[in-house]
């Protein structure tokens, strides 16, 4: 199964995106990411980037992935 990860601005944004994607039949999982700047949150998305990124754009979440 294809998956990719996007970084989000907060736990709230990651959860909002997860719920939104679930309503569209796309499975995802919020994950805590630890780095030099401290903790942040990411969303592991199980689906096609080409389908998911435009959906996330509807709620103001950027995939931030190079093509």
């Amino acid at each position: 199964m294809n998956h990719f990860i996007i970084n989000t601005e907060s736990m709230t944004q990651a959860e909002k995106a997860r719920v939104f994607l679930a309503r569209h039949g796309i499975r995802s999982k919020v994950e805590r990411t630890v780095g030099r700047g401290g903790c942040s949150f990411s969303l592991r998305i199980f689906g096609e980037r080409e389908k998911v990124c435009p959906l996330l754009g509807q709620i103001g979440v950027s995939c931030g992935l190079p093509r």
Side-chain angles (χ1 to χ4, degrees):
M1 174 173 272
N2 293 333
H3 74 275
F4 62 99
I5 297 173
I6 62 167
N7 294 318
T8 59
E9 295 177 5
S10 65
M11 171 70 166
T12 302
Q13 186 184 52
E15 186 61 23
K16 176 182 173 182
R18 186 195 65 76
V19 169
F20 179 79
L21 290 175
R23 289 184 186 142
H24 286 86
I26 299 168
R27 193 168 62 96
S28 60
K29 178 181 174 184
V30 175
E31 297 179 347
R32 184 174 167 212
T33 308
V34 179
R36 288 184 179 181
C39 295
S40 62
F41 292 89
S42 300
L43 192 62
R44 181 178 303 269
I45 302 168
F46 301 92
E48 297 294 327
R49 178 172 68 190
E50 293 77 19
K51 178 181 176 185
V52 174
C53 289
L55 282 174
L56 289 176
Q58 293 177 16
I59 59 169
V61 177
S62 172
C63 285
L65 296 173
R67 294 283 285 131

